[in-house]
Every structure is written in structure tokens, then in C-alpha cells.
Amino acid sequence: MSKGGRRGRVLNALLCWSDLLRLPDRPLSFPLTIWVENTTACNLRCEMCYKSASTSVCPSNVHLPPEFMERLLPEAQSACFSLLLGYGEPILSPNFFPWLERLIGIGCTTTTSLNGLILTSERARKIVESGVAQVSFSLDATTAETYSQIRKGGDWDKVLTNIRQFMQLRAERGSPLPYPRLSFVMLRDNLHEIPGCADFAKSLGVEFIAVMDPVFYSQETAERFSFARGEGEEAIEELRKRCVQLGVFLDYYEDSPSIYFDSKGMPTCPGKTPPALRYQDDPSPLFCPMLYTTLFIRGDGKVAPCCYLYEKVVGDLTVSSITEIWRGDKLAQMRSAIRERNFPPGCRICQRLLLLRRREVMTKGRVFVHRTWQASRERRQTGYAAQVQASII
């Protein structure tokens, strides 16, 4: 499907809704979300990052060439959302702004994530004026001491100065877009600061925060950063209460694979019970909504089913189109295997797996299609459009 415009995107959302009810191996719909890793270059050395893991296959300092735009964008006219981020710092790519402009230009509600270190006033102004829906700043801390422990090579004072400058430029423009967000990955080192994230965000004029469970890609990082599940739940509960008091919106990503997985996809340290084990006695089909809604394009042009399965290549944009990859044999085999509970490594412990409950899909799908229509129409007037993708399932 390549038909664009609001009607094309709503039609694609309807087809996706149908696919989620039927769980075909080869969907009729096009991906609702196109995730573009425009670069793998980064100016930080965060220990918990996939790039720092001994098992990482992420190439260093690779920029997705602009010619890939011509292969991707004509097909992506019916996508509702685009994420311009990955395991690198997006703004380090010389093609960051061309990618941003083109993705927004085809009508996608587009978001990006930055570490804020090299966000000059000129770059900040261009981002503010671009029409991008949301800019997330990855901090993982609310104090300089904790920040220096986690984000190696960073400069706390510089980051805060750049965020304040960004907020000022946004205020001068007089538009709610781009919608700013602060993001935090819960780790042993910053767990004590999680309850105070709302107050910290409010002090910067930011009213949207995201907190994510960690993803450990090696035993070393699991031992270094893991914490007791009860401690994490207590911190989140305190944060929820504070967010209500301050009027700060909290997006808690508790569905990530939050425990280290080995080569066989089995958990090796404590965490939440994954759906594959929790529902092992339930005969209902399991499915991964990512395999029916999202496609991850790596910085080298290869395509993965999601960011957590970076090394599992299901296609290559140099030789295949997005549609050919989306409906190709490799993804079809993955969808079939998960439905039949023959889980690929990694998927076995992922919290994103869902039971097929058609009544829930019907209800949530109806809401999502309506919001897709609204977000498509109002994406330049409201930051809420950037959050609609959370309603897919």
C-alpha cells in the first residue's frame, strides 16, 4: 500500500485492525509505524546500551544514506507514525534534517530522541520550526552525580542549558509542537531518583516524562544495573502519585523485555514473568503487535522486526522494498512461529506478547482508528498526536 493522505492512513489503520483480528502470516496492511535509525554514531558511552554489550552487532558510525529515502518514503505514504531514532544520536548524522523534513512531509506524525549534548541554538530552532511532533531528551538522571555514573562522556550542565534553550525557543514560537519529553531508563544507579522525575521535569517546564524498564543485553550489565522488582514498583508508584499532583503525564514502558536473555531466549536473572510463561496453560493464540504494526530500519539499511531483535535481519532495503520485506518469508515465519508458540530467541521473555482476545482488539482498534484520523488532521496543532501510537493495542 502506498496511497497517502489522511484517507490512506485511516484505510491502513482499518486494515491493520483487521490483521490483528485474523493474525495472518502476511498482513494486508502496511506498517503503521516506520522506525528509522538514521545513524549508529553516538557521542556517549552508556554502559547499559546495546552498543556497549559484548554481543552487539550494531555497526559503528554508520549513517543511513539519503538515497534510502527514495526507496522508503514513496511506500511509507500510508504510515501513521515515524520514529527517527535508534542506537545512535540522530542529530550526529549529516542527513538528520533531510530525513526529518521528508518524514514529516509525507504526513507522518514524527518523533525523535536526543541526548541534548550538541543541541546548538541553530539546531534547536530548526527542530522547533520543523513540525516534528515530539522531541524526547534521554537523561536517566535528575542530578549531575547520577548522570555522570550512567551516561559516560556527558556534560550535565551543558545538557540542561541546551534543554532550557530549546524550551525557550519553543515558547517564543507559540506552538505546542514539538511536544518535549524527558526519558529515564530505570537502573540500580538511578532508582532513588525516579520518584522525583516529575518535579525535575516541571522545573524545566516539561510536562511529559517516560520511564522504561531496562533491557539487559549481557550478563555483565544485568549484574551491574539490575534491581529487585519490588523496588522498581515502589518507585513507579511514588512517581505516579507525584505526577497526578503536578499535572505531569507519565508514560511507563513496562512491556519491554526487562530481563537478560541468553542465546536460547531464556531468562537468567529475576524479572516479571513473561507472557510466554504466564499464559502457557491458556490455549488462546499469542501474538506480537510489533509484527503487525512496526518495522525497524537499521542504520546500515538492513531491516529488523524491532529494536530488541537488532541482530535478526528480516530484509535489506538495498535489494528489497518495504512491502516485500513486510510480507516476505522471514517475517511470515516469525508471525507463524509466535502464534504457534515456537518463540524465536528473545521473544520468549518479551513482555510485549499478547493473548488474542478479539473483543479487546475490536474495542481498542476502533478507538485507535478514530484517533488516527484525528491525529492526521491535527498533528500540527496538538502534541497529543505523538502519543496516539500507544493506543494500537
Side-chain angles (χ1 to χ4, degrees):
M1 174 184 291
S2 60
K3 184 179 179 180
R6 183 155 53 116
R7 293 183 182 277
R9 285 186 285 278
V10 171
L11 173 60
N12 190 41
L14 286 167
L15 288 174
C16 179
W17 184 12
S18 171
D19 287 334
L20 289 170
L21 289 168
R22 299 180 302 108
L23 300 185
D25 293 344
R26 303 177 196 273
L28 293 174
S29 61
F30 187 84
L32 293 177
T33 300
I34 299 293
W35 191 327
V36 179
E37 181 185 53
N38 67 311
T39 183
T40 63
C42 191
N43 49 354
L44 290 176
R45 303 181 306 280
C46 304
E47 292 181 41
M48 73 290 190
C49 180
Y50 171 65
K51 289 186 67 176
S52 300
S54 57
T55 55
S56 173
V57 298
C58 184
S60 300
N61 303 320
V62 173
H63 304 308
L64 193 63
E67 53 262 30
F68 279 98
M69 294 184 199
E70 307 310 318
R71 293 190 64 87
L72 169 64
L73 298 183
E75 286 192 284
Q77 300 289 323
S78 55
C80 301
F81 310 99
S82 60
L83 310 178
L84 192 60
L85 56 100
Y87 289 110
E89 171 63 8
I91 208 168
L92 280 174
S93 169
N95 305 315
F96 172 75
F97 286 104
W99 270 109
L100 195 65
E101 292 167 6
R102 293 293 298 277
L103 287 167
I104 294 170
I106 64 172
C108 281
T109 297
T110 303
T111 69
T112 190
S113 180
L114 309 173
N115 60 35
L117 272 175
I118 56 172
L119 189 61
T120 62
S121 59
E122 180 182 358
R123 287 169 175 159
R125 187 175 299 278
K126 289 179 70 174
I127 292 173
V128 166
E129 296 175 351
S130 69
V132 63
Q134 182 184 85
V135 176
S136 182
F137 295 100
S138 300
L139 294 179
D140 303 328
T142 62
T143 63
E145 181 182 2
T146 302
Y147 179 85
S148 63
Q149 291 175 359
I150 298 173
R151 303 185 75 80
K152 305 295 185 182
D155 185 325
W156 178 250
D157 293 333
K158 188 174 184 179
V159 167
L160 291 191
T161 297
N162 290 345
I163 293 176
R164 290 190 179 102
Q165 177 180 252
F166 177 87
M167 295 300 294
Q168 181 179 347
L169 290 169
R170 175 177 172 271
E172 290 173 359
R173 185 169 182 261
S175 169
L177 296 185
Y179 206 76
R181 182 179 81 164
L182 303 183
S183 66
F184 306 85
V185 176
M186 282 204 301
L187 303 165
R188 182 190 302 165
D189 291 2
N190 68 4
L191 200 60
H192 63 287
E193 293 185 356
I194 295 300
C197 287
D199 293 87
F200 176 73
K202 199 74 172 180
S203 71
L204 293 174
V206 178
E207 297 182 343
F208 183 24
I209 60 177
V211 178
M212 288 149 274
D213 280 344
V215 180
F216 300 130
Y217 294 99
S218 70
Q219 187 65 44
E220 292 75 21
T221 53
E223 293 173 354
R224 165 75 175 81
F225 291 109
S226 62
F227 51 86
R229 174 57 48 189
E231 294 177 337
E233 291 173 348
E234 289 177 8
I236 288 295
E237 186 57 33
E238 289 184 46
L239 176 59
R240 288 189 200 276
K241 294 177 182 177
R242 194 61 183 146
C243 284
V244 171
Q245 294 170 352
L246 295 175
V248 173
F249 180 83
L250 171 63
D251 197 356
Y252 174 39
Y253 291 82
E254 57 182 331
D255 58 355
S256 59
S258 56
I259 42 185
Y260 167 68
F261 48 87
D262 61 20
S263 60
K264 295 181 180 180
M266 294 301 293
T268 59
C269 64
K272 291 178 289 188
T273 304
L277 299 178
R278 189 161 66 244
Y279 301 131
Q280 58 186 348
D281 296 326
D282 192 313
S284 303
L286 274 174
F287 73 102
C288 173
M290 297 285 284
L291 293 180
Y292 293 91
T293 61
T294 306
L295 208 55
F296 182 84
I297 300 167
R298 300 183 351 178
D300 56 6
K302 292 181 172 59
V303 178
C306 74
C307 64
Y308 300 126
L309 297 178
Y310 194 95
E311 72 286 349
K312 188 172 182 61
V313 176
V314 295
D316 190 333
L317 278 182
T318 60
V319 296
S320 304
S321 69
I322 285 292
T323 301
E324 290 170 340
I325 296 170
W326 185 242
R327 296 177 183 152
D329 292 341
K330 290 185 177 180
L331 277 175
Q333 290 166 6
M334 275 197 72
R335 295 182 185 108
S336 175
I338 289 177
R339 191 174 61 248
E340 297 172 5
R341 306 201 178 202
N342 297 319
F343 303 105
C347 297
R348 187 187 306 275
I349 57 84
C350 186
Q351 298 290 339
R352 288 183 181 269
L353 292 178
L354 298 173
L355 279 176
L356 177 59
R357 291 170 173 158
R358 288 183 170 82
R359 180 174 295 180
E360 292 182 16
V361 174
M362 286 289 289
T363 302
K364 294 182 180 181
R366 186 163 54 247
V367 172
F368 174 71
V369 171
H370 172 72
R371 288 182 175 176
T372 298
W373 180 275
Q374 292 295 106
S376 178
R377 185 179 66 181
E378 302 172 0
R379 67 182 179 84
R380 293 185 181 275
Q381 284 76 44
T382 174
Y384 182 70
Q387 303 168 31
V388 172
Q389 57 188 315
S391 302
I392 294 173
I393 287 294

